[in-house]
Amino acid sequence: MYPRLCIDLGRLQHNAKSLLQLASPRGISIWGVTKVLCGAPAVGEALRAAGITTLADSRLDNLRKLPTAEKVLLRLPDPHQAESVVRYADWSLNSELTTLQALSQAAIAAGKRHKVLLMVDVGDLREGLWPDEVIPFVRQALGLPGIQIGGLGTNVTCYGGVLPDPTNLGVLVELATELKRLGLVECEVISGGNSSSLELLQQGKIPRGINNLRLGESIILGQETIARRPLPGLFTDAVMLQAVAIEVKEKPSLPIGTIGQDAFGNSPEFVDLGVRRRVILALGRQDVRLDGLLPLEPGVRVLGASSDHLLLDTSDYPEDVRVGQVFSFGLDYGALLAASTSPYVVKEFRKGGN
Ligand SMILES: *Cc1c(COP(=O)(O)O)cnc(C)c1O
């Protein structure tokens, strides 16, 4: 069945293991982030097999499905769901006292202790307390039974595109030191960001004291996320998308007639390259994001797509193309997210490896 998202579990396992080997000698643990593959249990198993003991996801539905492990809810909890949060997650990321109060009550009712990673906004302007709010916030949170402040974390390169650096990550370490000095909290985890922090890690520039990273894209796509450079020794092709040719015809590259708007309200422009061999794939915007598709066969170019049809120019492809032929694509994060969350795309997990 196509379109099909092929996920090579052996390669994911290899990537996770390589990242552990990079991080462990520097005293940094890894939380394995599964959200872009919708918390697929097979992916969780592969990360566990690589030696990752904590799995993190943005959605409770995904955490529930994942195999047994220490589990972290990455998105700030909805206070209405406090009961499910303490049931399915050992940790959650937090920045609101109202939510902590709800989690506290839910934890007591469940007879559990729920750990909290307090998020600090060091400038990216997504989630988190402003640094000078942290100590007063912790003083209040310490009065709540059933929850434990397990540490501090920050998230960068998400909304504002702010890069992690020794200064902004240093803010976390200073706050953790201050919390300890005041006798308030001994942080178990000081989490210095996501896959965008790997470049600092490789350069040995992560401030001492940071002892955790939360990694998703680097495990799955084998790249860091500042310049999107491949990480040495990691597979960048652990996931690929496949779709089937449903029409193969020679057609002119310029449409014939007056050009108005396309199916999505854009006014397209065309360059006349003469008659080209065009292929229609049974794939469209309901399945994937066009921009992030990278054809894996040589001489294949993506021309465009509507909801259900993807047009290729295969004039430079060295062989004949037949109806029914399968074409393969690499994906960037956005395209992978779309394919992974599309109910029309079949997910195939392969044992794989090298
Ligand atoms: C998604 C997410 C991550 C993982 O980010 P990657 O860039 O995929 O490594 C880490 N932390 C939080 C809070 C997230 O939402």
Side-chain angles (χ1 to χ4, degrees):
M1 279 279 287
Y2 297 92
R4 179 192 290 175
L5 182 66
C6 306
I7 299 141
D8 187 315
L9 297 169
R11 292 184 180 181
L12 291 184
Q13 187 176 329
H14 168 91
N15 284 357
K17 211 168 169 176
S18 305
L19 288 164
L20 277 173
Q21 283 165 359
L22 178 67
S24 302
R26 295 166 165 98
I28 291 179
S29 68
I30 291 176
W31 286 354
V33 176
T34 53
K35 66 191 180 197
V36 79
L37 292 173
C38 302
V43 171
E45 299 287 1
L47 302 192
R48 295 281 289 113
I52 288 184
T53 53
T54 305
L55 299 177
D57 203 289
S58 51
R59 310 242 170 191
L60 287 171
D61 276 347
N62 295 350
L63 288 178
R64 197 181 52 202
K65 285 186 303 188
L66 282 165
T68 308
E70 187 179 49
K71 292 186 186 178
V72 181
L73 178 63
L74 288 175
R75 185 167 65 181
L76 305 179
D78 165 357
H80 300 105
Q81 296 199 311
E83 211 174 288
S84 301
V85 176
V86 303
R87 177 191 272 167
Y88 298 119
D90 302 293
W91 288 81
S92 57
L93 276 49
N94 284 276
S95 65
E96 291 288 350
L97 209 54
T98 310
T99 307
L100 288 191
Q101 284 158 347
L103 291 174
S104 165
Q105 283 179 3
I108 294 165
K112 287 189 172 177
R113 207 160 56 136
H114 183 74
K115 290 194 198 179
V116 167
L117 189 76
L118 278 188
M119 294 305 279
V120 182
D121 190 337
V122 297
D124 197 55
L125 307 186
R126 200 175 80 175
E127 72 274 60
L129 296 159
W130 224 233
D132 63 6
E133 295 173 327
V134 170
I135 303 229
F137 187 97
V138 166
R139 288 189 195 277
Q140 285 184 289
L142 285 175
L144 297 170
I147 60 171
Q148 179 189 342
I149 308 291
L152 301 177
T154 194
N155 202 54
V156 286
T157 40
C158 268
Y159 171 73
V162 170
L163 303 181
D165 61 37
T167 309
N168 57 25
L169 295 187
V171 170
L172 276 192
V173 179
E174 281 163 30
L175 283 168
T177 308
E178 187 62 5
L179 286 174
K180 184 174 177 184
R181 192 184 68 79
L182 294 170
L184 295 173
V185 176
E186 292 236 16
C187 290
E188 172 187 340
V189 171
I190 307 177
S191 185
N194 52 42
S195 298
S196 69
S197 295
L198 284 171
E199 191 162 273
L200 282 185
L201 179 65
Q202 288 172 305
Q203 296 166 347
K205 288 189 192 156
I206 297 235
R208 276 172 69 89
I210 299 285
N211 67 6
N212 171 269
L213 295 177
R214 312 175 305 273
L215 302 181
E217 181 165 345
S218 49
I219 296 175
I220 292 155
L221 296 179
Q223 61 190 10
E224 53 80 45
T225 57
I226 291 178
R228 299 229 142 54
R229 268 192 284 266
L231 290 158
L234 271 69
F235 290 106
T236 54
D237 55 357
V239 291
M240 72 175 171
L241 185 66
Q242 296 184 319
V244 172
I246 52 172
E247 184 185 283
V248 182
K249 303 243 181 262
E250 303 275 324
K251 291 193 186 184
S253 32
L254 280 189
I256 297 154
T258 310
I259 310 276
Q261 292 188 341
D262 69 11
F264 292 91
N266 307 306
S267 301
E269 284 176 30
F270 299 92
V271 180
D272 190 357
L273 299 171
V275 172
R276 308 288 288 174
R277 183 175 55 186
R278 296 161 68 109
V279 172
I280 301 181
L281 297 186
L283 183 72
R285 296 188 196 221
Q286 300 207 60
D287 311 297
V288 74
R289 203 180 105 128
L290 195 55
D291 289 340
L293 278 183
L294 176 77
L296 296 178
E297 283 87 5
V300 172
R301 201 160 60 86
V302 177
L303 293 173
S306 55
S307 306
D308 306 291
H309 300 77
L310 188 117
L311 296 176
L312 298 179
D313 183 330
T314 64
S315 306
D316 302 328
Y317 180 67
E319 289 159 48
D320 276 352
V321 178
R322 343 164 241 100
V323 169
Q325 184 169 335
V326 174
F327 284 84
S328 301
F329 300 87
L331 307 117
D332 74 3
Y333 193 85
L336 176 58
L337 179 69
S340 177
T341 51
S342 170
Y344 302 109
V345 176
V346 174
K347 280 76 182 181
E348 185 189 87
F349 298 95
R350 300 178 176 174
K351 279 268 179 285
N354 307 310

